[in-house]
């Protein structure tokens, strides 16, 4: 049975139906008795919108661990309630992590099994947890991943952009100057770039992206994935920028993806952006050699362009 919920959590399975389904389809619970958990920190992915995207193994582990460390215990309680689970919850987030880690390590040393979850998706992916994982490893305890949803991969596979090589870049800095600097450093990366972004900053980010990476780069804006108003808009950076400038900020959660530089023929803007960046720290000869190699262009052509840019600048 599906119930309509608030727009950020549109689908929810009735817990009883879900648990009946689970025992019917979960091979672990049918053919093997669920094993007691080994002591470890379990890093558990949870849905990014659609509550049915929880894995069977995540439900097993969340139902068995001694305690679930949650970025936000109220959100975690909603998730667990929806699946009929009654786990002990405690908060673990950026503001209390340093205080909590010694106690968590001591409990793991005593043989505890603990799970880490974030508000949505995979913990540590633009979410708290990496310092904890690092310290757990350093202390010689086990870290066990329970893979599942992540907005970055969901957006990548629906973007239509090359997926053989991708670079997850998290959130860009909120201020234009810092954002432009990061984008410049990514302009020649030969991979699809993936950014998390807020709806309010989408326009400004797309504008800076078109300026720094070139307006012709293929891109996609994926919004509200797995939710009721899921949408992916694809096109050149300048077209996407113009669309969101005209329409105003969209609602919901957003991933921006930008295809790799086009090695069949980078646009003039892309060549200029790369050269200007390289000329900040290198001679004309070194800068043009580096950019020519990165963009797959003849060195002589790039050298001529670099000379012109330097003359314009001086
Ligand atoms: N750990 C999460 C993951 O694995 O995807 C990401 C957490 S990060 C704090 C939240 C950001 O992820 C949002 O601002 C948005 O950029 C992206 N995001 C999360 N859920 C999304 C969804 N359903 N659709 C599109 N983007 C989403």
């Amino acid at each position: 049975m599906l119930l309509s919920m608030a727009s950020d959590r549109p689908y929810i399975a009735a817990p009883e139906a879900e648990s009946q389904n689970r025992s019917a389809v979960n091979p672990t619970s049918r053919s093997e008795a669920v094993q007691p958990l080994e002591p470890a920190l379990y890093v558990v992915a949870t849905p990014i919108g659609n509550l049915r995207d929880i894995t069977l193994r995540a439900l097993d582990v969340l139902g068995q661990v001694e305690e679930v460390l949650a970025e936000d215990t109220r959100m975690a309680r909603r998730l667990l309630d929806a699946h009929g689970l009654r786990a002990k919850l405690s908060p673990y987030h950026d503001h209390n992590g340093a205080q909590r880690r010694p106690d968590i390590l001591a409990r793991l040393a005593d043989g505890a099994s603990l799970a880490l979850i974030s508000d949505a998706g995979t913990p540590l992916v633009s979410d708290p947890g990496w310092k904890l994982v690092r310290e757990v490893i350093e202390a010689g305890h086990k870290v066990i991943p329970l893979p599942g949803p992540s907005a970055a991969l969901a957006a990548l596979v629906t973007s239509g952009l090359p997926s053989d090589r991708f670079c997850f870049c998290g959130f860009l800095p909120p201020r234009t100057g810092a954002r432009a600097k990061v984008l410049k450093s990514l302009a020649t990366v030969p991979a699809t770039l993936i950014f998390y972004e807020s709806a309010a900053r989408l326009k400004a980010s797309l504008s800076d992206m078109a300026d720094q990476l070139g307006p012709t780069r293929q891109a996609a804006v994926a919004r509200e994935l797995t939710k009721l108003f899921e949408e992916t808009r694809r096109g050149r950076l300048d077209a996407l920028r113009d669309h969101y400038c005209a329409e105003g900020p969209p609602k919901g959660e957003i991933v921006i993806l930008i295809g790799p530089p086009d090695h069949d023929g980078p646009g003039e803007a892309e060549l200029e952006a790369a050269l200007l960046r390289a000329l900040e720290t290198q001679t004309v000869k070194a800068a043009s050699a580096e950019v020519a190699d990165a963009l797959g262009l003849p060195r002589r052509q790039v050298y001529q362009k670099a000379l012109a840019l330097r003359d314009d600048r001086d």
Side-chain angles (χ1 to χ4, degrees):
M1 172 181 164
L2 293 179
L3 301 176
S4 194
M5 294 280 285
S7 65
D8 65 333
R9 292 286 182 273
Y11 315 120
I12 174 169
E16 327 77 62
E18 180 65 16
S19 52
Q20 279 161 18
N21 283 346
R22 202 151 63 88
S23 53
V25 297
N26 181 351
T28 309
S29 59
R30 275 163 61 98
S31 53
E32 310 154 29
V34 175
Q35 300 295 315
L37 288 181
E38 61 176 310
L41 176 69
Y42 293 81
V43 180
V44 182
T46 59
I48 57 169
N50 188 322
L51 286 186
R52 294 180 67 81
D53 284 338
I54 191 92
T55 70
L56 300 174
R57 190 166 160 237
L59 292 175
D60 288 340
V61 167
L62 292 174
Q64 269 185 284
V65 284
E66 263 172 42
E67 190 169 309
V68 177
L69 313 173
E71 187 183 5
D72 177 334
T73 50
R74 276 177 312 171
M75 285 192 71
R77 182 61 67 205
R78 279 173 66 190
L79 174 75
L80 296 178
D81 283 352
H83 292 291
L85 295 174
R86 297 236 37 95
K88 184 169 176 231
L89 287 169
S90 68
Y92 182 89
H93 45 68
D94 286 338
H95 306 294
N96 72 355
Q99 293 118 271
R100 289 224 55 200
R101 286 195 289 276
D103 175 54
I104 294 170
L105 292 180
R107 291 174 65 192
L108 289 169
D110 281 348
S113 58
L114 303 171
L116 174 71
I117 63 173
S118 60
D119 288 353
T122 301
L124 281 76
V125 179
S126 289
D127 266 339
W130 79 266
K131 286 185 183 158
L132 175 61
V133 165
R134 188 185 54 183
E135 289 185 23
V136 169
I137 294 165
E138 280 168 4
H141 308 307
K142 211 160 176 184
V143 178
I144 299 181
L146 270 77
S150 186
L153 286 184
L156 177 68
V157 299
T158 191
S159 67
L161 296 168
S163 57
D164 53 340
R165 235 201 259 186
F166 56 88
C167 175
F168 175 66
C169 310
F171 287 96
L172 283 165
R175 286 171 201 268
T176 295
R179 186 163 58 221
K181 202 166 164 200
V182 173
L183 287 168
K184 268 184 188 179
S185 73
L186 295 169
T188 54
V189 172
T192 292
L193 307 176
I194 305 176
F195 301 91
Y196 286 162
E197 191 48 283
S198 73
R201 278 203 284 271
L202 177 64
K203 260 185 350 183
S205 283
L206 286 172
S207 248
D208 286 350
M209 287 166 173
D211 290 347
Q212 300 301 329
L213 310 180
T216 59
R217 287 274 283 261
Q218 288 299 314
V221 174
R223 195 170 70 82
E224 294 289 88
L225 294 169
T226 77
K227 305 187 199 179
L228 209 51
F229 298 106
E230 177 177 301
E231 170 190 67
T232 297
R233 188 169 286 275
R234 306 169 182 86
R236 286 168 35 148
L237 270 176
D238 54 357
L240 289 170
R241 174 200 60 203
D242 294 348
H243 171 81
Y244 288 106
C245 283
E247 294 279 305
K251 288 205 169 68
E253 301 197 273
I254 285 169
V255 183
I256 305 176
L257 306 100
I258 303 174
D262 181 359
H263 285 265
D264 294 336
E268 195 65 4
E270 187 185 337
L271 172 59
E272 279 192 23
L275 271 175
L276 286 171
R277 227 175 8 261
L279 283 169
E280 281 171 12
T281 52
Q282 299 178 64
T283 63
V284 168
K285 192 169 172 211
S288 43
E290 180 189 278
V291 171
D293 289 350
L295 299 184
L297 290 170
R299 285 193 176 194
R300 181 190 293 270
Q301 176 198 334
V302 178
Y303 184 70
Q304 294 305 327
K305 181 82 191 169
L307 281 177
L309 284 175
R310 188 201 54 187
D311 292 346
D312 282 353
R313 213 179 43 171
D314 293 342

